[in-house]
Amino acid sequence: MNVVIMYGGKSCEHDISVITAKQAAANMKNFAEVYVSREGKWLLAKNMPSPSDFADKEKIKRLPEVAFVPPYKTLWLKKGGKLKKIFDVDAALLCFHGVNGEDGRAQGLLELCGVPYTSCGVTASAVGMDKIVFKEFVKGLGLPVTKSAWTDKRKYQSNKVGVIDEISGALGYPAIVKPCNLGSSIGISVCGNDGELMRALDTAFEFDERAIVEQALKNFSDVNIAAVKKGGEILVSKAENPLTWHEYLSFEDKYSAGRKGMAESKRRFPFECPMYGDMADAVRKIYSALDCKGVVRVDFLVTDDGFFVNEINTIPGSLAYYLWRDEFDMASLIKTLIDEAAADMKRRQDAVYGYKSDVLTKSFGKK
């Protein structure tokens, strides 16, 4: 198969995406790499075997530009204002993290081209990326979430004091502030008073147009569970407990220097949790209702009294293969993702997309 690994992107999580892609590439044969630069250019990544190569701007400048053009399942080379066919693409392994890749935009382009891809579809990707929308979706399923409020940049900047009073009155302190569409803990702050809340929102709005503020829990554990579909069946991983001394998992906790992504972060795995069965059922319920595809990771906050659904990663770091070590190695996980992507695309292409009618001639007449 002609498989294209796609990664990078105009995203704050660009660097982590590169690491995920290189982890995948190390377990594959016969593939091409499409790297999306920080500026949004789509490039054919040749002679870039190491993540550190992507810190070299001169190397990136020398990469040829490529494109997908609907409705063709073709990767095109852009040269001299013209397109030259490289090859037809059988499947795309998506390793994007964050906006402009994980959020449904790349998925929409691939849909229009008829290229099977290994992540959630357009709707599930968009809902999963937006923390405000995802929380409302989960509440609609009857699953527990922490109490929250949200605001947008325009409203906040026009009346900072009023917004602070509104949020603090609804939630109290401590509270945790998050940009709506970011991951990897970027732009997140914990605050204990009005002044800290204002500074936290100022920070969040440097990254996004909307921010969510959640009631911060005390004495809780982070518990993550992954899910993937194989042969139409939703498989659920064992639980992990990421370890940190902070009030939340920071970017450095997840991806500190010298580590190779989430796979080497400090964790307890498998993590024995008395609520695992209920959380696994919640993962299946979310995966099914959101019509997820590929591998996802659902993150929970667990206290002595119960659990709360925190967020979903529709393309988790390292493709969450470290949660599947008893069921898959990385190579077999990738094969499962590609096989399921191809089967899913075929099923959808078998649907009827046309409806013959005479409305254009009968309702408006003939010219």
Side-chain angles (χ1 to χ4, degrees), residues 38-58:
R38 297 176 190 276
E39 295 73 35
K41 287 187 175 181
W42 291 46
L43 307 169
L44 190 63
K46 293 183 175 181
N47 303 316
M48 305 280 279
S50 169
S52 61
D53 290 321
F54 295 87
D56 189 330
K57 293 182 180 179
E58 292 305 313

Side-chain angles (χ1 to χ4, degrees), residues 93-135:
L93 176 69
L94 300 193
C95 295
F96 292 114
H97 300 318
V99 296
N100 299 310
E102 187 180 356
D103 56 359
R105 302 182 198 195
Q107 292 81 349
L109 174 60
L110 294 172
E111 289 274 0
L112 294 175
C113 294
V115 175
Y117 56 90
T118 58
S119 82
C120 289
V122 175
T123 301
S125 298
V127 171
M129 179 58 59
D130 190 306
K131 291 179 174 61
I132 297 168
V133 174
F134 179 69
K135 187 178 282 281

Side-chain angles (χ1 to χ4, degrees), residues 146-150 162-175 194 197 213-215:
T146 54
K147 192 175 180 181
S148 67
W150 65 272
V163 169
I164 295 296
D165 288 344
E166 182 182 335
I167 292 174
S168 62
L171 301 180
Y173 295 106
D194 287 0
L197 177 57
V213 185
E214 298 172 333
Q215 198 171 50

Side-chain angles (χ1 to χ4, degrees), residues 4 27 38 81 113 128 134 142 168 215 233 251 271 285 294 315:
V4 173
N27 291 271
R38 297 176 190 276
C113 294
F134 179 69
S168 62
Q215 198 171 50
E233 179 185 0
F251 183 93
F271 179 58
K285 190 172 186 177
I315 307 179

Side-chain angles (χ1 to χ4, degrees), residues 139-291:
K139 285 165 63 176
L141 295 178
L143 297 172
V145 295
T146 54
K147 192 175 180 181
S148 67
W150 65 272
T151 186
D152 61 62
K153 190 173 184 177
R154 181 178 294 181
K155 178 181 177 181
Y156 172 69
Q157 290 183 337
S158 66
N159 185 13
K160 287 189 176 184
V161 173
V163 169
I164 295 296
D165 288 344
E166 182 182 335
I167 292 174
S168 62
L171 301 180
Y173 295 106
I176 185 166
V177 178
K178 305 175 184 178
C180 182
N181 288 283
L182 259 70
S184 297
S185 300
I186 296 171
I188 290 181
S189 307
V190 174
C191 40
N193 56 53
D194 287 0
E196 291 178 356
L197 177 57
M198 185 173 291
R199 287 191 292 273
L201 286 170
D202 287 339
T203 297
F205 286 130
E206 291 180 11
F207 296 97
D208 206 343
E209 291 297 308
R210 298 196 300 165
I212 187 168
V213 185
E214 298 172 333
Q215 198 171 50
L217 302 176
K218 296 180 179 180
N219 302 317
F220 69 93
S221 297
D222 290 283
V223 176
N224 304 334
I225 299 174
V228 69
K229 190 177 287 186
K230 183 177 182 180
E233 179 185 0
I234 300 172
L235 306 180
V236 177
S237 76
K238 295 174 182 176
E240 69 154 345
N241 171 219
L243 300 175
T244 174
W245 292 103
H246 311 299
E247 294 168 282
Y248 64 95
L249 281 170
S250 68
F251 183 93
E252 288 73 21
D253 292 323
K254 296 176 179 179
Y255 312 111
S256 64
R259 293 194 185 130
K260 297 178 181 178
M262 289 289 285
E264 294 187 15
S265 298
K266 294 179 181 178
R267 68 187 67 250
R268 287 188 288 182
F269 179 82
F271 179 58
E272 300 299 327
C273 177
M275 287 171 273
Y276 169 78
D278 291 336
M279 288 190 292
D281 287 342
V283 172
R284 293 187 187 93
K285 190 172 186 177
I286 292 169
Y287 195 105
S288 178
L290 201 51
D291 193 23

Side-chain angles (χ1 to χ4, degrees), residues 111 117 293 339-349:
E111 289 274 0
Y117 56 90
K293 300 176 182 67
D339 289 346
E340 286 295 311
D344 176 73
M345 181 62 77
K346 185 179 184 308
R347 283 193 298 270
R348 284 184 291 122
Q349 287 179 338

